[in-house]
Amino acid sequence: MTTKKPIRPEEEVHPSGDERYLAIDRTMKQFKYERDSLLEVLNAAQEVFGYLSRDLLIYISTQLKVPMSQVYGVATFYHLFTFEPQGEHNCIICKGTACHVKGADRIIEALSEEFNINAGETTPDGLFSLTIARCLGSCGLAPVIVLDGQVYGKETPEAVSRRAAEVVSRSKEELTQTMEVG
Amino acid sequence: MNFNNLEKIGQKELDRQGKYKRRIFCCTSTACLSAGAGQVHTSLDQSVEACRCDEHEAEVVKTGCMGLCSSGPLVRVEEKEKDPILYGNITSELAQQLVSRHVPIGEIDDELEEGDQDLSVTPHDMLHYRASLKKAGKKSDLDKNIISLDHPFFSKQVKVVLNETGIVNPDKLEDYLAHGGYQALAHVLENMTPEEVCDEILESELRGRGGAGFPTGMKWNFVRKEGAEDKFVIVNGDEGDPGAYMDRTVMEDDPHRVLEGMIICAYAVGASAGYLYIRGEYPIAINRIRKAIRDARRRKILGKSVLGTDFMFNADVRIGAGAFVCGEETALIHSVEGKRGMPRMRPPYPSTSGLWEAPTVINNVETMANVPSIINNGADWYASIGTEKSKGTKVFALAGHLRNTGLIEVPMGITLREIVYEIGGGIPENRGFKAAQTGGPSGGCIPEEYLDSPVDYESLNKLGSIMGSGGLVIIDDTTKMPDFANYFMEFCVDESCGKCLPCRVGTVQIGKLLDKLIAGDGSQEDIEQLENLCETVKTTSLCGLGQSAPNPVLSTLKYFRNEYDELVQQAQTADSGLN
């Protein structure tokens, strides 16, 4: 006979009111709150939240009993961690050696011009981020880009610009429509 | 020992596979997935379903990398008593045609059955494809997608590490067992002492595949002889070198092979716990290794009693967060301990004081993946491949301006010319060969006159490059070498951890000098200063990153000095023009 276990109430809500913290608690619990697990916990936090906010770092510091200076030091050491929220759309350009010799720089230039931002920045309206990756390891398809999670290979600057402009303008339209309705 | 159970599982899987008249293998490695292999796999599955044929007519298998990544997604059809056929650049629609060509179609009613309308491939589609195939006679569109397996890209390769990639389903332990998996481990546990295992590896003359080429057997012996209670094994899968993806492929496509090598290593040195440190950018590799660990635990290949013996070993995954310097062993240890990944002075070497100050073996993924084959076939067999000082094979990620790019495994001692012109198919668009870059940001550029030198540790070092972890980028004559050197220097500036001064400041200054020269503001003195600075950084940096960071600049200065001189000359003519 299978009876469903009642969900314990303390597992439903986190004191912060943000249930994403539960996922981080789970990771910390899995590693028995050991200080050595800092990198694993930061990895989990980056995955769940998309970026590491100041509050989040303080929370991890208190829970693991690791000084804030150390948490900040470790977090800023590694490239995968970001401290600002990403744009609604994200375009990652691979800058690995194979992509570099096949013109990744020109794609970055084209996008910088199209959206008026530098690599690693987000547009002021928060709609588009331009990110650089060291190597995505799909060198056979160079140059490679990832637009909103979808990988495109053997790309040209024009095609990438057009594709990125399309997704962003679609979001803009939706935004104006909601505003009109509102 | 309870390996018999596992052997039975392997045999059962082999029998199951033998029942199928044909097996359709679809590559689901990162490169092919990027090219759309996910949809192709679904489409193959649905099409076979839509054929309404007997269950044992065909099976669709998810496999790892088949090598020729530039032609992905790749699909291979193996029919009994027929030569295998490899198809490249397959799309969802071509996948349907492919199935209609190879799989017989069962009885299909004129009317669609209930629910068939909702399918993306209906039995009627298959009939339609079959009819048009008949009409076209032997000449089908699909023929254009066939890649000859006699091509030098395949025939020139020797597979040890990649022996099962592209053949086994990486998510299925049974499939690995069916192909002789964990036999080496069983043999080691039953018939060999730890000392004998270390000696076997020593005799095979296997050298570290992470780049430096330290004899693996020697490293294992150091740790074995340490008397400490706790010892660790770390597998280095932090492949940060841009343009290299050998380790990722091995972890993604044959995770159990890495795990088997790791467990054998742990037995040989007396370690009871180990970590696989994998780059965070490799989600598929992380998931497949994690699954492999779970499956191995369930089958008692990992845990308190490995294969029923009193040897205990546990393995876990640690995820890197994007720092090139973590490829350095002491930096990697700090990272596993949850700290900033900064290197420290050696000695003490990790073999005496490593993870949590315990004796630790750190080996690259590819090194570990060689171990099961050495145990199975013997040290002599392994030592018979390769050159006098570099034995065995090396996996390279072949990329850049070449007709065929992808993942290759070649015997040590093969010439660069064979790799570029036979395996790689030469330079496209009638352009000329300019240089082969090995070892990424730590390596150097090798010009045309040395194309006939053998690929081994010593020869590459002599040329001012390194074997490196296996990135091999070919560039054609449109690339300007100072720019190329600058690209790697920018990388090292970014990746320098900042602990020691020569690397932290030196790389920045080298970059500035290069910028100045490239902008046309440089002089001969700048080139001389560049050379001096490179030598200083190379000789005085703390770890491998700084010590090798000047290599791309030094090697291009050595072989392509004229391009730097031209930049200076251009600057001078521009100046005199202004006066």
Side-chain angles (χ1 to χ4, degrees):
Chain A
M1 200 178 84
T2 51
T3 44
K4 264 192 181 171
K5 263 190 192 170
I7 303 166
R8 279 181 293 155
E10 63 263 31
E11 274 186 5
E12 271 183 324
V13 272
H14 188 267
S16 66
D18 187 341
E19 59 187 44
R20 287 178 297 181
Y21 278 93
L22 287 174
I24 305 193
D25 283 353
R26 265 199 299 278
T27 309
M28 291 196 276
K29 215 172 185 176
Q30 186 194 332
F31 288 99
K32 301 187 185 91
Y33 290 85
E34 275 172 24
R35 291 172 180 200
D36 289 340
S37 67
L38 177 58
L39 198 54
E40 294 295 312
V41 175
L42 287 173
N43 261 321
Q46 172 78 30
E47 203 181 309
V48 175
F49 284 81
Y51 73 106
L52 305 176
S53 65
R54 199 186 145 80
D55 285 351
L56 194 49
L57 292 178
I58 294 172
Y59 181 71
I60 293 171
S61 159
T62 335
Q63 292 293 311
L64 289 183
K65 299 194 175 63
V66 175
M68 182 59 183
S69 59
Q70 196 185 330
V71 175
Y72 187 75
V74 170
T76 49
F77 184 82
Y78 295 95
H79 290 298
L80 273 190
F81 302 127
T82 50
F83 305 94
E84 301 280 334
Q86 290 281 302
E88 195 181 320
H89 300 284
N90 187 14
C91 189
I92 306 168
I93 318 284
C94 176
K95 238 191 125 181
T97 318
C99 292
H100 173 76
V101 298
K102 291 202 167 175
D105 276 343
R106 288 199 299 278
I107 298 181
I108 299 169
E109 263 168 44
L111 284 176
S112 292
E113 211 166 284
E114 174 82 38
F115 294 98
N116 207 14
I117 49 169
N118 289 322
E121 290 179 358
T122 304
T123 51
D125 57 10
L127 283 179
F128 185 78
S129 297
L130 179 56
T131 318
I132 306 288
R134 273 300 175 204
C135 184
L136 296 171
S138 299
C139 308
L141 301 171
V144 178
I145 69 136
V146 184
L147 180 61
D148 291 342
Q150 173 78 36
V151 185
Y152 299 93
K154 299 177 185 169
E155 277 298 338
T156 60
E158 297 77 31
V160 178
S161 287
R162 202 175 52 237
R163 212 170 270 148
E166 249 167 48
V167 291
V168 170
S169 68
R170 217 175 300 142
S171 286
K172 266 188 190 153
E173 268 169 35
E174 278 166 24
L175 213 64
T176 33
Q177 271 172 9
T178 19
M179 271 158 70
E180 274 166 15
V181 171
Chain B
M1 276 288 289
N2 54 10
F3 184 64
N4 295 351
N5 289 341
L6 292 183
E7 253 180 334
K8 268 183 214 148
I9 295 168
Q11 191 55 45
K12 208 170 138 198
E13 171 67 17
L14 209 59
D15 294 344
R16 191 195 66 81
Q17 290 175 7
K19 280 185 195 147
Y20 288 94
K21 286 190 184 147
R22 51 188 72 71
R23 302 182 78 216
I24 303 171
F25 297 83
C26 178
C27 174
T28 52
S29 200
T30 298
C32 278
L33 282 177
S34 308
Q39 290 102 306
V40 170
H41 178 253
T42 321
S43 181
L44 287 171
D45 247 352
Q46 289 170 340
S47 304
V48 169
E49 178 82 6
C51 281
R52 298 281 193 268
C53 55
D54 179 66
E55 190 203 336
H56 288 120
E57 287 291 346
E59 182 193 28
V60 179
V61 189
K62 254 164 90 172
T63 72
C65 186
M66 299 183 191
L68 197 55
C69 307
S70 53
S71 300
L74 293 164
V75 175
R76 192 179 70 246
V77 183
E78 282 184 12
E79 270 183 75
K80 275 190 180 162
E81 285 143 34
K82 276 188 192 170
D83 290 332
I85 303 175
L86 180 69
Y87 293 93
N89 296 310
I90 293 296
T91 59
S92 303
E93 211 211 300
L94 282 172
Q96 297 169 11
Q97 292 186 27
L98 187 152
V99 169
S100 80
R101 180 186 211 174
H102 288 281
V103 182
I105 295 173
E107 275 183 32
I108 291 170
D109 297 336
D110 289 345
E111 293 290 314
L112 281 179
E113 284 169 33
E114 210 175 312
D116 275 359
Q117 292 91 331
D118 302 334
L119 296 173
S120 42
V121 196
T122 65
H124 283 196
D125 290 335
M126 299 316 288
L127 283 175
H128 166 74
Y129 284 130
R130 177 55 70 89
S132 48
L133 212 62
K134 258 192 190 147
K135 225 184 192 173
K138 283 202 162 165
K139 274 189 191 154
S140 148
D141 274 357
L142 262 178
D143 287 341
K144 282 188 279 190
N145 296 69
I146 293 182
I147 301 166
S148 166
L149 287 166
D150 298 326
H151 190 282
F153 183 87
F154 300 103
S155 61
K156 276 261 164 185
Q157 296 195 43
V158 174
K159 304 233 170 170
V160 175
V161 171
L162 301 179
N163 199 24
E164 289 102 28
T165 49
I167 295 167
V168 299
N169 180 343
D171 278 336
K172 265 177 101 171
L173 171 62
E174 296 84 1
D175 211 353
Y176 183 65
L177 289 169
H179 287 84
Y182 290 110
Q183 271 175 14
L185 177 66
H187 174 70
V188 161
L189 290 178
E190 200 167 48
N191 308 315
M192 291 170 91
T193 62
E195 194 176 349
E196 282 168 349
V197 180
C198 290
D199 287 346
E200 186 81 8
I201 300 299
L202 200 63
E203 273 165 39
S204 75
E205 293 180 56
L206 171 66
R207 294 170 66 175
R209 294 291 191 254
F214 190 81
T216 307
M218 213 188 272
K219 201 186 254 183
W220 289 17
N221 256 329
F222 288 150
V223 178
R224 182 178 62 80
K225 286 176 186 158
E226 290 289 331
E229 201 172 300
D230 282 328
K231 294 181 189 176
F232 295 100
V233 177
I234 298 179
V235 180
N236 184 349
D238 189 49
E239 191 174 44
D241 179 349
Y245 54 94
M246 307 72 48
D247 294 347
R248 183 199 69 202
T249 309
V250 180
M251 291 186 287
E252 268 178 14
D253 302 343
D254 207 357
H256 284 287
R257 176 179 267 274
V258 183
L259 213 52
E260 186 176 2
M262 185 184 184
I263 305 170
I264 292 172
C265 170
Y267 173 74
V269 303
S272 55
Y275 296 96
L276 291 118
Y277 186 88
I278 309 175
R279 217 179 145 207
E281 287 93 330
Y282 290 168
I284 302 176
I286 293 169
N287 285 338
R288 289 192 183 157
I289 288 274
R290 276 188 174 150
K291 175 154 198 319
I293 291 177
R294 277 200 306 275
D295 290 348
R297 255 185 222 144
R298 215 178 41 234
R299 294 285 178 198
K300 306 239 171 356
I301 298 167
L302 281 174
K304 270 187 189 153
S305 157
V306 174
L307 295 181
T309 61
D310 50 11
F311 166 57
M312 168 187 145
F313 183 68
N314 278 309
D316 208 351
V317 173
R318 284 287 175 275
I319 301 168
F324 179 60
V325 69
C326 286
E328 203 279 341
E329 52 183 18
T330 56
L332 189 147
I333 288 173
H334 288 149
S335 189
V336 174
E337 291 171 351
K339 299 177 188 146
R340 286 166 77 95
M342 283 174 148
R344 62 159 173 80
M345 285 283 281
R346 294 179 304 179
Y349 286 91
S351 51
T352 44
S353 174
L355 189 60
W356 296 300
E357 280 146 34
T360 306
V361 180
I362 302 190
N363 273 137
N364 178 266
V365 168
E366 194 186 330
T367 317
M368 287 297 188
N370 269 302
V371 171
S373 297
I374 294 173
I375 300 291
N376 280 330
N377 302 303
D380 295 340
W381 163 81
Y382 194 77
S384 70
I385 312 170
T387 62
E388 196 198 331
K389 284 185 173 166
S390 307
K391 302 295 187 192
T393 58
K394 179 80 194 85
V395 182
F396 285 104
L398 194 58
H401 297 129
L402 275 182
R403 284 205 176 82
N404 312 320
T405 57
L407 200 75
I408 59 165
E409 183 170 6
V410 289
M412 293 276 191
I414 192 172
T415 64
L416 279 170
R417 190 180 298 280
E418 285 171 279
I419 296 181
V420 174
Y421 288 98
E422 293 184 43
I423 296 177
I427 320 285
E429 296 169 31
N430 290 325
R431 297 237 169 84
F433 170 89
K434 188 160 202 176
Q437 212 280 344
T438 65
S442 316
C445 296
I446 298 164
E448 195 168 9
E449 59 253 47
Y450 296 106
L451 268 181
D452 289 310
S453 4
V455 174
D456 60 43
Y457 291 97
E458 279 72 28
S459 308
L460 290 176
N461 275 351
K462 225 186 278 170
L463 291 174
S465 186
I466 59 163
M467 174 73 79
S469 58
L472 180 51
V473 182
I474 308 299
I475 44 179
D476 69 13
D477 50 19
T478 56
T479 313
K480 294 197 179 78
M481 299 315 276
D483 283 340
F484 195 50
N486 199 19
Y487 161 76
F488 285 118
M489 199 43 70
E490 272 176 29
F491 179 86
C492 292
V493 168
D494 248 20
E495 295 295 341
S496 173
C497 78
K499 183 167 180 172
C500 75
L501 183 124
C503 177
R504 182 180 67 232
V505 182
T507 51
V508 175
Q509 295 305 325
I510 293 173
K512 278 188 178 165
L513 279 171
L514 283 172
D515 282 341
K516 191 178 169 192
L517 283 163
I518 291 165
D521 299 327
S523 62
Q524 278 297 333
E525 288 84 68
D526 288 324
I527 299 187
E528 274 156 37
Q529 204 187 351
L530 185 65
E531 246 175 335
N532 285 336
L533 193 54
C534 283
E535 286 298 337
T536 312
V537 173
K538 194 175 170 149
T539 42
T540 57
S541 289
L542 172 64
C543 82
L545 196 159
Q547 287 160 13
S548 62
N551 281 349
V553 181
L554 283 171
S555 69
T556 49
L557 272 172
K558 188 170 165 193
Y559 299 119
F560 302 94
R561 180 81 179 214
N562 59 327
E563 293 191 27
Y564 287 89
D565 289 339
E566 269 166 32
L567 286 173
V568 172
Q569 268 159 22
Q570 276 167 14
Q572 281 163 353
T573 16
D575 272 352
S576 55
L578 280 175
N579 295 334

